[in-house]
Amino acid sequence: MKSLLCLFLLSTSIMAQTPFIQGHRGCRGLYPENSLPAFEHALELGVRVLEMDVVLSADGQVVVSHEPYMNARYASHPAGEAVVRSEESSLNLYQMSYAEIKRFDVGKRGNSLFLEQKAVPTYKPLLAEVLALGEAFRKRTGEAVYYNIEIKSEPAEYGKSQPADVAEFSKAVYAVIDKQVEWPFVILQSFDFAVLKYWHQVWGCVILSALVEKESPVYVLETLGFTPAIFSSSYQYLTAEMVQFCHSNGMRVIPWTINTTAQMKQFIALGVDGIITDYPNRAPKIH
């Protein structure tokens, strides 16, 4: 009975998720990635699905960051000097308190990969801060806000830049979300299938998205042992046949990361259910 109820809740909540465009790391092409300014600007543009990544600090705080370290491409030390590549491994967020992490700037230098990105001083926020921003927007405007949250996890990093046990990582993330947001508005995604298996086993009614690069949906189903709500692959490897297969097997398809209007139109024509983009302002239509 419980499994049937979960299937019903998952199908109805995903059906209710009408927003099509997801702002990748907020809107990485326009503002510093995974920052409060990026998420705020994405909402102002009309984005209603905020995509982000989370890691853990030494003191167990859930931090919004793509890497579990300070990235030399855009991070600056508290005193102002740029982080250099050779010191990235020593700036392991899992070995730093959140108070230490917050002192680093991750926006004022801009990002050479994204020439349209506005350089603004900012820091790596807590997941709780991002959810609070989105929920404040929802209460102020009456418009639903959804959150696509990636647990950044890989087996090679167990016990190094993340907990040795995916359960510890997952419980920390779950606790933050559960306090602030209703679960039908949350997608939990990961490349680490051990994470997805744990969430499916423990919190079966959470909407799960299987992140892959070029792996097929058949591989995902066989490896996971269950059907995730969403198949999310790199757009470069996604075919019309894969989209059709997913739909016939009860999975929605949300490719990443599509950054030109022409490519967005191409994949909309293939029938995808959403698009993750660094440039939501380039979307043919945000709805």
Side-chain angles (χ1 to χ4, degrees), residues 70-234:
M70 291 294 173
N71 193 318
R73 188 176 295 280
Y74 53 81
S76 302
H77 285 276
E81 69 273 24
V83 169
V84 297
R85 192 72 65 188
S86 61
E87 60 185 343
E88 284 182 338
S89 60
S90 67
L91 296 173
N92 181 341
L93 304 188
Y94 188 53
Q95 297 175 4
M96 301 168 66
S97 70
Y98 182 64
E100 293 177 287
I101 293 169
K102 192 173 181 179
R103 294 178 63 208
F104 283 73
D105 182 274
V106 291
K108 68 181 182 182
R109 289 170 52 201
N111 187 325
S112 60
L113 295 179
F114 300 93
L115 300 181
E116 294 178 37
Q117 186 186 103
K118 185 171 290 188
V120 296
T122 191
Y123 61 92
K124 292 182 181 292
L126 293 173
L127 174 60
E129 292 180 273
V130 178
L131 298 181
L133 183 151
E135 292 304 283
F137 179 89
R138 176 185 63 80
K139 292 175 182 177
R140 184 171 68 252
T141 64
E143 297 186 32
V145 177
Y146 297 80
Y147 308 92
N148 189 1
I149 301 168
E150 178 184 348
I151 289 186
K152 296 301 295 185
S153 174
E154 55 181 297
E157 291 298 310
Y158 290 179
K160 299 176 183 178
S161 63
Q162 65 183 81
D165 186 354
V166 297
E168 179 182 343
F169 198 165
S170 296
K171 288 175 181 177
V173 175
Y174 183 94
V176 173
I177 299 170
D178 197 48
K179 288 180 182 178
Q180 294 180 257
V181 182
E182 294 181 12
W183 283 101
F185 297 91
V186 177
I187 298 167
L188 191 287
Q189 60 177 353
S190 188
F191 283 98
D192 188 346
F193 283 11
V195 170
L196 297 179
K197 289 178 181 179
Y198 180 83
W199 281 70
H200 177 69
Q201 179 182 4
V202 179
W203 304 296
C205 287
V206 176
I207 300 168
L208 298 179
S209 176
L211 282 169
V212 296
E213 185 174 5
K214 57 185 177 181
E215 290 80 3
S216 72
V218 172
Y219 169 85
V220 168
L221 293 178
E222 292 177 348
T223 306
L224 278 180
F226 68 90
T227 303
I230 299 167
F231 174 80
S232 189
S233 73
S234 168

Side-chain angles (χ1 to χ4, degrees), residues 3-19 146 183-186 205-207 229 250 252:
S3 60
L4 290 175
L5 177 60
C6 285
L7 286 172
F8 173 76
L9 291 174
L10 285 174
S11 63
T12 54
S13 60
I14 297 170
M15 288 292 287
Q17 186 184 321
T18 55
Y146 297 80
W183 283 101
F185 297 91
V186 177
C205 287
V206 176
I207 300 168
R252 288 202 165 196

Side-chain angles (χ1 to χ4, degrees), residues 9-65:
L9 291 174
L10 285 174
S11 63
T12 54
S13 60
I14 297 170
M15 288 292 287
Q17 186 184 321
T18 55
F20 191 83
I21 299 299
Q22 299 195 13
H24 186 232
R25 307 185 202 178
C27 52
R28 180 172 60 157
L30 307 173
Y31 275 81
E33 65 176 67
N34 280 321
S35 70
L36 293 178
F39 294 118
E40 183 173 20
H41 189 66
L43 291 171
E44 291 170 351
L45 286 173
V47 171
R48 295 297 176 265
V49 187
L50 302 178
E51 193 274 350
M52 68 200 76
D53 315 271
V54 294
V55 301
L56 288 188
S57 66
D59 49 346
Q61 299 296 302
V62 182
V63 183
V64 178
S65 176

